Amino acid sequence: MADSAPITHEEYRRLCEYLYRRTGMTFNETRRYFVDRRVADRMAATGASTFADYFARLRGDIDGEIEQFVNAFTVNETYFYREDHQLQCLTANLLEERLKVKQNGETMRIWSVPCSTGEEPYSIAMWLLENWPQVDAHDIEIVASDIDTEVLSAAREGVFGKRALMRLSPALIDKYFVALGGDRWQILDDLRNSVRFTPANLVERAETRPHGLFDVIFCRNVLIYFDDTSRRVAAENLYENLAPGGYICLGHTESMSRISPLFEVCRFADAIVYRRPMGDRRG
Amino acid sequence: MADPSPDVRWTAVRDAATGHGSVATLSRALIHEGDARVREAIFTALVKLASSESIDVLLQSLRSDESHLRTGAMDALRTAPAVIAVQLPLLLADADSDVRLLACDLARELDGAVVQGLLCALIDSDPQPNVCAAAIEVLTEIGDGEALPSLARCADRFPDDPFLLFAIAAASERLSAPRG
């Protein structure tokens, strides 16, 4: 990787504008080091000798460079049972509330977006098995989506290191993982097959809408990377993907009330979540 | 977008947000739209389109007699600081004092040093004490000691307005204090 900044201020500005248009993510001068490192990595990987060469390659999407570039900019560190108070809320309140309005036999749909390398959707699956007595009585679909296709591949593979499992008890690890050696564990095939992984960019309605309506959406710690306009667009896209009365869980530092008036705030014992008003049938 | 069902109108608006030539349709729909959520989607569509035409619709909404249109346009514009940066000098010089007053509020979204210069120029000359009061409120938040001469001149221009004099005194006290 190059040691020095490979791009000028003007090039940096153009690159950030491009990144914003493609992903909705915003980077200003305070994130310059973060951006420079990734650009230098991609230039080295593609053999581009100047930023102009690389930018032309990127814009032309030569050898799928746009996807590689976006993948380099997404932040993918997470772990199992992160913010598990929301998982507690899921089984104690949200699913029970949804059952009240669902037809008998109707599938309960849960969406983890962005899902990163799979810790969140697998956590949801494990949590339901461990903590929801009705889990076997209902058809449950867990969909997991991310803009980053490399992390989706990793999520499908379901291999995790020690750090990702730090909040799981040894009993849970024994029950749901196979030790591969070298501090690596693979999640059981049954659990891997219980989650459907798909690509999706939250600010592109054409990518979110086909996923259909969900009862609960976990959308944690991603809206903070968007600028205000993209946040509004993402909020409207998520709104369209929620069944009327469906719930959305954000990260603990995020507030939908500051982004969009479309949702109602719901305070439960374990978490504050947001709900698409029951009367809204559009979407 | 004229369908009686808000569900249908919502979908139509969201479809239009990615289409070309849809600004005129969105603009017409905005005037008559009675559903708050559909209106919200129209404002998001306009700010996302970010064309000169769509931004013009937002700016025109600031002149509306309908408070929900003014508020919706303000909320949408707040998400687009680059647009505010371009439009703010024009808005602060607008012939309509209500627009100038709203522009002061939009100024909060921009870099303090640039905004301070614009707001100081405004309170040096604006004939409306309410507009000056709005500008002073923002200056109190984002300004520094360089605003003090303009504040003093503004006090001289409105010697009989007790609220403005109180606001100027409070702002001057705040901006005179050393920054910690």
Side-chain angles (χ1 to χ4, degrees), chain A residues 203 205 209 228-229 232-233 236-237 239-240 261-262 277 280-283, chain B residues 6-7 10-11 14-15 35 37 40-41 43-44 47-48 75-76 79:
Chain A
V203 295
R205 185 177 180 237
R209 201 151 191 243
D228 289 344
T229 301
R232 275 177 71 125
V233 172
E236 290 180 9
N237 289 342
Y239 178 88
E240 282 190 337
L262 292 170
D280 294 340
R281 293 286 159 194
R282 71 188 65 90
Chain B
D7 299 7
W10 163 276
T11 302
R14 299 233 65 219
D15 289 344
D35 184 288
R37 289 191 171 87
E40 179 76 8
F43 280 121
T44 302
V47 76
K48 180 170 181 277
D75 287 343
T79 71

PDB file of all heavy atoms in Angstrom, chain A residues 203 205 209 228-229 232-233 236-237 239-240 261-262 277 280-283, chain B residues 6-7 10-11 14-15 35 37 40-41 43-44 47-48 75-76 79:
ATOM      1  N   VAL A 203     -30.173   3.163  -0.139  1.00  0.00           N
ATOM      2  CA  VAL A 203     -30.644   4.410  -0.754  1.00  0.00           C
ATOM      3  C   VAL A 203     -31.132   4.181  -2.180  1.00  0.00           C
ATOM      4  O   VAL A 203     -31.509   5.126  -2.866  1.00  0.00           O
ATOM      5  CB  VAL A 203     -29.569   5.526  -0.733  1.00  0.00           C
ATOM      6  CG1 VAL A 203     -29.267   5.941   0.691  1.00  0.00           C
ATOM      7  CG2 VAL A 203     -28.320   5.099  -1.472  1.00  0.00           C
ATOM      8  N   ARG A 205     -34.019   2.573  -4.114  1.00  0.00           N
ATOM      9  CA  ARG A 205     -35.341   1.966  -3.942  1.00  0.00           C
ATOM     10  C   ARG A 205     -35.517   0.729  -4.822  1.00  0.00           C
ATOM     11  O   ARG A 205     -36.194  -0.233  -4.439  1.00  0.00           O
ATOM     12  CB  ARG A 205     -36.389   3.014  -4.290  1.00  0.00           C
ATOM     13  CG  ARG A 205     -37.814   2.573  -4.057  1.00  0.00           C
ATOM     14  CD  ARG A 205     -38.735   3.733  -4.366  1.00  0.00           C
ATOM     15  NE  ARG A 205     -40.124   3.410  -4.167  1.00  0.00           N
ATOM     16  CZ  ARG A 205     -41.044   3.526  -5.116  1.00  0.00           C
ATOM     17  NH1 ARG A 205     -40.709   3.947  -6.323  1.00  0.00           N
ATOM     18  NH2 ARG A 205     -42.316   3.238  -4.856  1.00  0.00           N
ATOM     19  N   ARG A 209     -37.078  -2.298  -2.611  1.00  0.00           N
ATOM     20  CA  ARG A 209     -38.507  -2.584  -2.750  1.00  0.00           C
ATOM     21  C   ARG A 209     -38.814  -4.050  -3.066  1.00  0.00           C
ATOM     22  O   ARG A 209     -39.769  -4.617  -2.539  1.00  0.00           O
ATOM     23  CB  ARG A 209     -39.114  -1.671  -3.815  1.00  0.00           C
ATOM     24  CG  ARG A 209     -40.610  -1.547  -3.665  1.00  0.00           C
ATOM     25  CD  ARG A 209     -41.118  -0.215  -4.156  1.00  0.00           C
ATOM     26  NE  ARG A 209     -42.493  -0.033  -3.751  1.00  0.00           N
ATOM     27  CZ  ARG A 209     -43.506   0.079  -4.609  1.00  0.00           C
ATOM     28  NH1 ARG A 209     -43.294   0.027  -5.891  1.00  0.00           N
ATOM     29  NH2 ARG A 209     -44.727   0.252  -4.161  1.00  0.00           N
ATOM     30  N   ASP A 228     -27.768  13.849   5.302  1.00  0.00           N
ATOM     31  CA  ASP A 228     -29.163  14.027   5.718  1.00  0.00           C
ATOM     32  C   ASP A 228     -30.153  13.659   4.614  1.00  0.00           C
ATOM     33  O   ASP A 228     -31.196  13.057   4.877  1.00  0.00           O
ATOM     34  CB  ASP A 228     -29.397  15.473   6.168  1.00  0.00           C
ATOM     35  CG  ASP A 228     -28.704  15.769   7.486  1.00  0.00           C
ATOM     36  OD1 ASP A 228     -28.321  14.805   8.168  1.00  0.00           O
ATOM     37  OD2 ASP A 228     -28.544  16.952   7.823  1.00  0.00           O
ATOM     38  N   THR A 229     -29.847  14.053   3.383  1.00  0.00           N
ATOM     39  CA  THR A 229     -30.779  13.740   2.290  1.00  0.00           C
ATOM     40  C   THR A 229     -30.875  12.236   2.088  1.00  0.00           C
ATOM     41  O   THR A 229     -31.975  11.677   1.945  1.00  0.00           O
ATOM     42  CB  THR A 229     -30.324  14.422   0.981  1.00  0.00           C
ATOM     43  OG1 THR A 229     -30.260  15.831   1.191  1.00  0.00           O
ATOM     44  CG2 THR A 229     -31.302  14.133  -0.146  1.00  0.00           C
ATOM     45  N   ARG A 232     -33.004  10.577   4.667  1.00  0.00           N
ATOM     46  CA  ARG A 232     -34.444  10.700   4.402  1.00  0.00           C
ATOM     47  C   ARG A 232     -34.881   9.678   3.366  1.00  0.00           C
ATOM     48  O   ARG A 232     -35.927   9.043   3.503  1.00  0.00           O
ATOM     49  CB  ARG A 232     -34.762  12.105   3.872  1.00  0.00           C
ATOM     50  CG  ARG A 232     -34.963  13.148   4.946  1.00  0.00           C
ATOM     51  CD  ARG A 232     -35.193  14.523   4.340  1.00  0.00           C
ATOM     52  NE  ARG A 232     -36.495  14.636   3.703  1.00  0.00           N
ATOM     53  CZ  ARG A 232     -37.390  15.578   4.007  1.00  0.00           C
ATOM     54  NH1 ARG A 232     -37.127  16.459   4.950  1.00  0.00           N
ATOM     55  NH2 ARG A 232     -38.538  15.649   3.369  1.00  0.00           N
ATOM     56  N   VAL A 233     -34.072   9.535   2.312  1.00  0.00           N
ATOM     57  CA  VAL A 233     -34.418   8.565   1.263  1.00  0.00           C
ATOM     58  C   VAL A 233     -34.412   7.146   1.838  1.00  0.00           C
ATOM     59  O   VAL A 233     -35.342   6.362   1.599  1.00  0.00           O
ATOM     60  CB  VAL A 233     -33.422   8.672   0.083  1.00  0.00           C
ATOM     61  CG1 VAL A 233     -33.645   7.553  -0.919  1.00  0.00           C
ATOM     62  CG2 VAL A 233     -33.543  10.029  -0.600  1.00  0.00           C
ATOM     63  N   GLU A 236     -37.450   6.489   3.911  1.00  0.00           N
ATOM     64  CA  GLU A 236     -38.650   6.239   3.105  1.00  0.00           C
ATOM     65  C   GLU A 236     -38.607   4.854   2.474  1.00  0.00           C
ATOM     66  O   GLU A 236     -39.641   4.175   2.346  1.00  0.00           O
ATOM     67  CB  GLU A 236     -38.820   7.337   2.059  1.00  0.00           C
ATOM     68  CG  GLU A 236     -39.211   8.654   2.711  1.00  0.00           C
ATOM     69  CD  GLU A 236     -39.386   9.797   1.723  1.00  0.00           C
ATOM     70  OE1 GLU A 236     -39.380   9.555   0.495  1.00  0.00           O
ATOM     71  OE2 GLU A 236     -39.526  10.949   2.183  1.00  0.00           O
ATOM     72  N   ASN A 237     -37.417   4.422   2.064  1.00  0.00           N
ATOM     73  CA  ASN A 237     -37.296   3.065   1.525  1.00  0.00           C
ATOM     74  C   ASN A 237     -37.630   2.029   2.596  1.00  0.00           C
ATOM     75  O   ASN A 237     -38.358   1.065   2.343  1.00  0.00           O
ATOM     76  CB  ASN A 237     -35.881   2.829   0.992  1.00  0.00           C
ATOM     77  CG  ASN A 237     -35.618   3.601  -0.284  1.00  0.00           C
ATOM     78  OD1 ASN A 237     -36.556   4.049  -0.955  1.00  0.00           O
ATOM     79  ND2 ASN A 237     -34.352   3.776  -0.629  1.00  0.00           N
ATOM     80  N   TYR A 239     -39.436   2.452   5.219  1.00  0.00           N
ATOM     81  CA  TYR A 239     -40.877   2.583   5.484  1.00  0.00           C
ATOM     82  C   TYR A 239     -41.671   1.713   4.509  1.00  0.00           C
ATOM     83  O   TYR A 239     -42.605   1.010   4.894  1.00  0.00           O
ATOM     84  CB  TYR A 239     -41.250   4.052   5.358  1.00  0.00           C
ATOM     85  CG  TYR A 239     -42.708   4.381   5.559  1.00  0.00           C
ATOM     86  CD1 TYR A 239     -43.196   4.643   6.826  1.00  0.00           C
ATOM     87  CD2 TYR A 239     -43.570   4.459   4.479  1.00  0.00           C
ATOM     88  CE1 TYR A 239     -44.535   4.969   7.013  1.00  0.00           C
ATOM     89  CE2 TYR A 239     -44.904   4.777   4.657  1.00  0.00           C
ATOM     90  CZ  TYR A 239     -45.377   5.037   5.920  1.00  0.00           C
ATOM     91  OH  TYR A 239     -46.695   5.359   6.096  1.00  0.00           O
ATOM     92  N   GLU A 240     -41.272   1.768   3.244  1.00  0.00           N
ATOM     93  CA  GLU A 240     -41.969   0.980   2.227  1.00  0.00           C
ATOM     94  C   GLU A 240     -41.780  -0.517   2.433  1.00  0.00           C
ATOM     95  O   GLU A 240     -42.585  -1.318   1.968  1.00  0.00           O
ATOM     96  CB  GLU A 240     -41.461   1.358   0.829  1.00  0.00           C
ATOM     97  CG  GLU A 240     -42.039   2.652   0.324  1.00  0.00           C
ATOM     98  CD  GLU A 240     -41.721   2.895  -1.135  1.00  0.00           C
ATOM     99  OE1 GLU A 240     -40.730   2.316  -1.633  1.00  0.00           O
ATOM    100  OE2 GLU A 240     -42.440   3.676  -1.769  1.00  0.00           O
ATOM    101  N   PRO A 261     -40.468  12.000   9.926  1.00  0.00           N
ATOM    102  CA  PRO A 261     -41.675  11.939  10.766  1.00  0.00           C
ATOM    103  C   PRO A 261     -42.584  10.772  10.406  1.00  0.00           C
ATOM    104  O   PRO A 261     -43.686  10.678  10.921  1.00  0.00           O
ATOM    105  CB  PRO A 261     -42.353  13.274  10.465  1.00  0.00           C
ATOM    106  CG  PRO A 261     -41.992  13.552   9.046  1.00  0.00           C
ATOM    107  CD  PRO A 261     -40.618  12.950   8.822  1.00  0.00           C
ATOM    108  N   LEU A 262     -42.144   9.888   9.528  1.00  0.00           N
ATOM    109  CA  LEU A 262     -43.014   8.819   9.038  1.00  0.00           C
ATOM    110  C   LEU A 262     -43.331   7.773  10.097  1.00  0.00           C
ATOM    111  O   LEU A 262     -44.322   7.059   9.998  1.00  0.00           O
ATOM    112  CB  LEU A 262     -42.352   8.114   7.843  1.00  0.00           C
ATOM    113  CG  LEU A 262     -42.216   8.924   6.553  1.00  0.00           C
ATOM    114  CD1 LEU A 262     -41.344   8.182   5.562  1.00  0.00           C
ATOM    115  CD2 LEU A 262     -43.580   9.208   5.952  1.00  0.00           C
ATOM    116  N   PRO A 277     -46.922   3.403  11.207  1.00  0.00           N
ATOM    117  CA  PRO A 277     -48.277   3.462  11.765  1.00  0.00           C
ATOM    118  C   PRO A 277     -49.172   2.383  11.169  1.00  0.00           C
ATOM    119  O   PRO A 277     -49.098   2.088   9.976  1.00  0.00           O
ATOM    120  CB  PRO A 277     -48.750   4.864  11.390  1.00  0.00           C
ATOM    121  CG  PRO A 277     -47.494   5.665  11.314  1.00  0.00           C
ATOM    122  CD  PRO A 277     -46.463   4.728  10.741  1.00  0.00           C
ATOM    123  N   ASP A 280     -51.355   2.836   7.872  1.00  0.00           N
ATOM    124  CA  ASP A 280     -50.783   3.107   6.550  1.00  0.00           C
ATOM    125  C   ASP A 280     -50.707   1.840   5.733  1.00  0.00           C
ATOM    126  O   ASP A 280     -50.018   0.910   6.089  1.00  0.00           O
ATOM    127  CB  ASP A 280     -49.378   3.692   6.697  1.00  0.00           C
ATOM    128  CG  ASP A 280     -49.453   5.045   7.355  1.00  0.00           C
ATOM    129  OD1 ASP A 280     -50.531   5.636   7.330  1.00  0.00           O
ATOM    130  OD2 ASP A 280     -48.432   5.494   7.889  1.00  0.00           O
ATOM    131  N   ARG A 281     -51.380   1.850   4.607  1.00  0.00           N
ATOM    132  CA  ARG A 281     -51.388   0.652   3.754  1.00  0.00           C
ATOM    133  C   ARG A 281     -50.471   0.798   2.552  1.00  0.00           C
ATOM    134  O   ARG A 281     -50.339  -0.115   1.759  1.00  0.00           O
ATOM    135  CB  ARG A 281     -52.807   0.369   3.261  1.00  0.00           C
ATOM    136  CG  ARG A 281     -53.745  -0.035   4.370  1.00  0.00           C
ATOM    137  CD  ARG A 281     -53.464  -1.455   4.826  1.00  0.00           C
ATOM    138  NE  ARG A 281     -53.986  -1.685   6.158  1.00  0.00           N
ATOM    139  CZ  ARG A 281     -53.673  -2.722   6.919  1.00  0.00           C
ATOM    140  NH1 ARG A 281     -52.813  -3.606   6.485  1.00  0.00           N
ATOM    141  NH2 ARG A 281     -54.162  -2.861   8.123  1.00  0.00           N
ATOM    142  N   ARG A 282     -49.920   1.972   2.390  1.00  0.00           N
ATOM    143  CA  ARG A 282     -49.120   2.166   1.184  1.00  0.00           C
ATOM    144  C   ARG A 282     -47.779   1.481   1.318  1.00  0.00           C
ATOM    145  O   ARG A 282     -47.361   1.105   2.403  1.00  0.00           O
ATOM    146  CB  ARG A 282     -48.906   3.652   0.904  1.00  0.00           C
ATOM    147  CG  ARG A 282     -47.987   4.342   1.861  1.00  0.00           C
ATOM    148  CD  ARG A 282     -47.988   5.819   1.623  1.00  0.00           C
ATOM    149  NE  ARG A 282     -49.270   6.407   1.898  1.00  0.00           N
ATOM    150  CZ  ARG A 282     -49.622   6.886   3.088  1.00  0.00           C
ATOM    151  NH1 ARG A 282     -48.788   6.835   4.084  1.00  0.00           N
ATOM    152  NH2 ARG A 282     -50.800   7.387   3.289  1.00  0.00           N
ATOM    153  N   GLY A 283     -47.101   1.393   0.228  1.00  0.00           N
ATOM    154  CA  GLY A 283     -45.768   0.816   0.267  1.00  0.00           C
ATOM    155  C   GLY A 283     -45.585  -0.143  -0.870  1.00  0.00           C
ATOM    156  O   GLY A 283     -46.479  -0.411  -1.618  1.00  0.00           O
TER     157      GLY A 283
ATOM    158  N   PRO B   6     -54.308   7.886  -0.740  1.00  0.00           N
ATOM    159  CA  PRO B   6     -52.944   8.315  -0.389  1.00  0.00           C
ATOM    160  C   PRO B   6     -51.915   7.232  -0.688  1.00  0.00           C
ATOM    161  O   PRO B   6     -50.765   7.535  -1.011  1.00  0.00           O
ATOM    162  CB  PRO B   6     -53.015   8.582   1.118  1.00  0.00           C
ATOM    163  CG  PRO B   6     -54.452   8.673   1.450  1.00  0.00           C
ATOM    164  CD  PRO B   6     -55.202   7.913   0.411  1.00  0.00           C
ATOM    165  N   ASP B   7     -52.320   5.964  -0.606  1.00  0.00           N
ATOM    166  CA  ASP B   7     -51.398   4.858  -0.910  1.00  0.00           C
ATOM    167  C   ASP B   7     -50.890   4.967  -2.346  1.00  0.00           C
ATOM    168  O   ASP B   7     -49.699   4.823  -2.618  1.00  0.00           O
ATOM    169  CB  ASP B   7     -52.100   3.498  -0.750  1.00  0.00           C
ATOM    170  CG  ASP B   7     -52.602   3.270   0.652  1.00  0.00           C
ATOM    171  OD1 ASP B   7     -52.534   4.199   1.471  1.00  0.00           O
ATOM    172  OD2 ASP B   7     -53.067   2.154   0.921  1.00  0.00           O
ATOM    173  N   TRP B  10     -48.654   8.051  -2.738  1.00  0.00           N
ATOM    174  CA  TRP B  10     -47.323   7.802  -2.155  1.00  0.00           C
ATOM    175  C   TRP B  10     -46.434   7.066  -3.161  1.00  0.00           C
ATOM    176  O   TRP B  10     -45.292   7.461  -3.413  1.00  0.00           O
ATOM    177  CB  TRP B  10     -47.460   6.989  -0.867  1.00  0.00           C
ATOM    178  CG  TRP B  10     -46.194   6.343  -0.400  1.00  0.00           C
ATOM    179  CD1 TRP B  10     -45.677   5.143  -0.819  1.00  0.00           C
ATOM    180  CD2 TRP B  10     -45.247   6.865   0.541  1.00  0.00           C
ATOM    181  NE1 TRP B  10     -44.480   4.883  -0.188  1.00  0.00           N
ATOM    182  CE2 TRP B  10     -44.198   5.922   0.646  1.00  0.00           C
ATOM    183  CE3 TRP B  10     -45.189   8.031   1.297  1.00  0.00           C
ATOM    184  CZ2 TRP B  10     -43.104   6.109   1.490  1.00  0.00           C
ATOM    185  CZ3 TRP B  10     -44.087   8.217   2.142  1.00  0.00           C
ATOM    186  CH2 TRP B  10     -43.070   7.265   2.227  1.00  0.00           C
ATOM    187  N   THR B  11     -46.975   5.996  -3.724  1.00  0.00           N
ATOM    188  CA  THR B  11     -46.189   5.200  -4.674  1.00  0.00           C
ATOM    189  C   THR B  11     -45.826   6.035  -5.904  1.00  0.00           C
ATOM    190  O   THR B  11     -44.694   5.973  -6.393  1.00  0.00           O
ATOM    191  CB  THR B  11     -46.988   3.947  -5.083  1.00  0.00           C
ATOM    192  OG1 THR B  11     -47.302   3.206  -3.899  1.00  0.00           O
ATOM    193  CG2 THR B  11     -46.184   3.066  -6.022  1.00  0.00           C
ATOM    194  N   ARG B  14     -42.996   8.409  -5.037  1.00  0.00           N
ATOM    195  CA  ARG B  14     -41.716   7.718  -4.880  1.00  0.00           C
ATOM    196  C   ARG B  14     -41.187   7.245  -6.232  1.00  0.00           C
ATOM    197  O   ARG B  14     -39.989   7.260  -6.478  1.00  0.00           O
ATOM    198  CB  ARG B  14     -41.862   6.551  -3.907  1.00  0.00           C
ATOM    199  CG  ARG B  14     -42.298   7.009  -2.520  1.00  0.00           C
ATOM    200  CD  ARG B  14     -41.401   6.501  -1.440  1.00  0.00           C
ATOM    201  NE  ARG B  14     -40.062   7.002  -1.491  1.00  0.00           N
ATOM    202  CZ  ARG B  14     -38.987   6.267  -1.229  1.00  0.00           C
ATOM    203  NH1 ARG B  14     -39.102   5.003  -0.953  1.00  0.00           N
ATOM    204  NH2 ARG B  14     -37.793   6.805  -1.272  1.00  0.00           N
ATOM    205  N   ASP B  15     -42.089   6.864  -7.129  1.00  0.00           N
ATOM    206  CA  ASP B  15     -41.657   6.499  -8.481  1.00  0.00           C
ATOM    207  C   ASP B  15     -41.075   7.726  -9.187  1.00  0.00           C
ATOM    208  O   ASP B  15     -40.078   7.629  -9.903  1.00  0.00           O
ATOM    209  CB  ASP B  15     -42.836   5.950  -9.295  1.00  0.00           C
ATOM    210  CG  ASP B  15     -43.268   4.566  -8.825  1.00  0.00           C
ATOM    211  OD1 ASP B  15     -42.487   3.918  -8.109  1.00  0.00           O
ATOM    212  OD2 ASP B  15     -44.387   4.148  -9.165  1.00  0.00           O
ATOM    213  N   ASP B  35     -52.138  14.759   2.508  1.00  0.00           N
ATOM    214  CA  ASP B  35     -51.623  13.706   3.388  1.00  0.00           C
ATOM    215  C   ASP B  35     -50.171  14.036   3.769  1.00  0.00           C
ATOM    216  O   ASP B  35     -49.306  14.197   2.904  1.00  0.00           O
ATOM    217  CB  ASP B  35     -51.692  12.355   2.659  1.00  0.00           C
ATOM    218  CG  ASP B  35     -51.266  11.217   3.565  1.00  0.00           C
ATOM    219  OD1 ASP B  35     -50.058  11.100   3.855  1.00  0.00           O
ATOM    220  OD2 ASP B  35     -52.145  10.455   3.988  1.00  0.00           O
ATOM    221  N   ARG B  37     -47.749  12.348   5.030  1.00  0.00           N
ATOM    222  CA  ARG B  37     -46.676  11.416   4.637  1.00  0.00           C
ATOM    223  C   ARG B  37     -46.368  11.526   3.143  1.00  0.00           C
ATOM    224  O   ARG B  37     -45.214  11.428   2.736  1.00  0.00           O
ATOM    225  CB  ARG B  37     -47.070   9.989   5.016  1.00  0.00           C
ATOM    226  CG  ARG B  37     -47.035   9.776   6.509  1.00  0.00           C
ATOM    227  CD  ARG B  37     -47.172   8.311   6.870  1.00  0.00           C
ATOM    228  NE  ARG B  37     -46.928   8.148   8.287  1.00  0.00           N
ATOM    229  CZ  ARG B  37     -47.855   8.271   9.229  1.00  0.00           C
ATOM    230  NH1 ARG B  37     -49.082   8.551   8.877  1.00  0.00           N
ATOM    231  NH2 ARG B  37     -47.554   8.127  10.494  1.00  0.00           N
ATOM    232  N   GLU B  40     -44.361  14.624   2.693  1.00  0.00           N
ATOM    233  CA  GLU B  40     -42.973  14.374   3.109  1.00  0.00           C
ATOM    234  C   GLU B  40     -42.196  13.702   1.972  1.00  0.00           C
ATOM    235  O   GLU B  40     -41.056  14.070   1.681  1.00  0.00           O
ATOM    236  CB  GLU B  40     -42.990  13.467   4.352  1.00  0.00           C
ATOM    237  CG  GLU B  40     -41.636  13.092   4.906  1.00  0.00           C
ATOM    238  CD  GLU B  40     -40.997  14.226   5.663  1.00  0.00           C
ATOM    239  OE1 GLU B  40     -41.656  15.257   5.887  1.00  0.00           O
ATOM    240  OE2 GLU B  40     -39.805  14.088   6.001  1.00  0.00           O
ATOM    241  N   ALA B  41     -42.832  12.734   1.330  1.00  0.00           N
ATOM    242  CA  ALA B  41     -42.164  12.035   0.220  1.00  0.00           C
ATOM    243  C   ALA B  41     -41.913  12.984  -0.951  1.00  0.00           C
ATOM    244  O   ALA B  41     -40.887  12.869  -1.644  1.00  0.00           O
ATOM    245  CB  ALA B  41     -43.008  10.844  -0.221  1.00  0.00           C
ATOM    246  N   PHE B  43     -41.328  16.229  -0.729  1.00  0.00           N
ATOM    247  CA  PHE B  43     -40.176  17.069  -0.363  1.00  0.00           C
ATOM    248  C   PHE B  43     -38.863  16.287  -0.482  1.00  0.00           C
ATOM    249  O   PHE B  43     -37.861  16.818  -0.968  1.00  0.00           O
ATOM    250  CB  PHE B  43     -40.345  17.617   1.059  1.00  0.00           C
ATOM    251  CG  PHE B  43     -41.256  18.806   1.140  1.00  0.00           C
ATOM    252  CD1 PHE B  43     -42.397  18.791   1.924  1.00  0.00           C
ATOM    253  CD2 PHE B  43     -40.964  19.957   0.416  1.00  0.00           C
ATOM    254  CE1 PHE B  43     -43.236  19.894   1.991  1.00  0.00           C
ATOM    255  CE2 PHE B  43     -41.804  21.071   0.477  1.00  0.00           C
ATOM    256  CZ  PHE B  43     -42.941  21.035   1.267  1.00  0.00           C
ATOM    257  N   THR B  44     -38.879  15.032  -0.044  1.00  0.00           N
ATOM    258  CA  THR B  44     -37.662  14.221  -0.177  1.00  0.00           C
ATOM    259  C   THR B  44     -37.293  14.045  -1.649  1.00  0.00           C
ATOM    260  O   THR B  44     -36.126  14.140  -2.029  1.00  0.00           O
ATOM    261  CB  THR B  44     -37.854  12.840   0.484  1.00  0.00           C
ATOM    262  OG1 THR B  44     -38.182  13.031   1.855  1.00  0.00           O
ATOM    263  CG2 THR B  44     -36.588  12.001   0.386  1.00  0.00           C
ATOM    264  N   VAL B  47     -35.704  17.286  -2.999  1.00  0.00           N
ATOM    265  CA  VAL B  47     -34.344  17.563  -2.543  1.00  0.00           C
ATOM    266  C   VAL B  47     -33.374  16.525  -3.089  1.00  0.00           C
ATOM    267  O   VAL B  47     -32.211  16.820  -3.370  1.00  0.00           O
ATOM    268  CB  VAL B  47     -34.290  17.670  -0.999  1.00  0.00           C
ATOM    269  CG1 VAL B  47     -34.353  16.325  -0.316  1.00  0.00           C
ATOM    270  CG2 VAL B  47     -33.042  18.427  -0.544  1.00  0.00           C
ATOM    271  N   LYS B  48     -33.860  15.306  -3.307  1.00  0.00           N
ATOM    272  CA  LYS B  48     -32.983  14.268  -3.869  1.00  0.00           C
ATOM    273  C   LYS B  48     -32.707  14.533  -5.348  1.00  0.00           C
ATOM    274  O   LYS B  48     -31.593  14.327  -5.822  1.00  0.00           O
ATOM    275  CB  LYS B  48     -33.628  12.892  -3.704  1.00  0.00           C
ATOM    276  CG  LYS B  48     -32.779  11.750  -4.262  1.00  0.00           C
ATOM    277  CD  LYS B  48     -33.332  10.409  -3.853  1.00  0.00           C
ATOM    278  CE  LYS B  48     -32.467   9.268  -4.381  1.00  0.00           C
ATOM    279  NZ  LYS B  48     -32.782   8.927  -5.764  1.00  0.00           N
ATOM    280  N   ASP B  75     -37.410  21.816   6.293  1.00  0.00           N
ATOM    281  CA  ASP B  75     -36.825  20.539   6.710  1.00  0.00           C
ATOM    282  C   ASP B  75     -36.048  19.891   5.562  1.00  0.00           C
ATOM    283  O   ASP B  75     -34.976  19.313   5.764  1.00  0.00           O
ATOM    284  CB  ASP B  75     -37.919  19.573   7.200  1.00  0.00           C
ATOM    285  CG  ASP B  75     -38.467  19.988   8.562  1.00  0.00           C
ATOM    286  OD1 ASP B  75     -37.803  20.797   9.243  1.00  0.00           O
ATOM    287  OD2 ASP B  75     -39.554  19.522   8.934  1.00  0.00           O
ATOM    288  N   ALA B  76     -36.610  19.974   4.371  1.00  0.00           N
ATOM    289  CA  ALA B  76     -35.921  19.385   3.215  1.00  0.00           C
ATOM    290  C   ALA B  76     -34.632  20.143   2.911  1.00  0.00           C
ATOM    291  O   ALA B  76     -33.579  19.539   2.691  1.00  0.00           O
ATOM    292  CB  ALA B  76     -36.847  19.393   1.999  1.00  0.00           C
ATOM    293  N   THR B  79     -31.480  19.483   4.920  1.00  0.00           N
ATOM    294  CA  THR B  79     -30.682  18.293   4.619  1.00  0.00           C
ATOM    295  C   THR B  79     -29.702  18.541   3.473  1.00  0.00           C
ATOM    296  O   THR B  79     -28.945  17.640   3.125  1.00  0.00           O
ATOM    297  CB  THR B  79     -31.582  17.095   4.235  1.00  0.00           C
ATOM    298  OG1 THR B  79     -32.166  17.331   2.949  1.00  0.00           O
ATOM    299  CG2 THR B  79     -32.675  16.873   5.261  1.00  0.00           C
TER     300      THR B  79
END
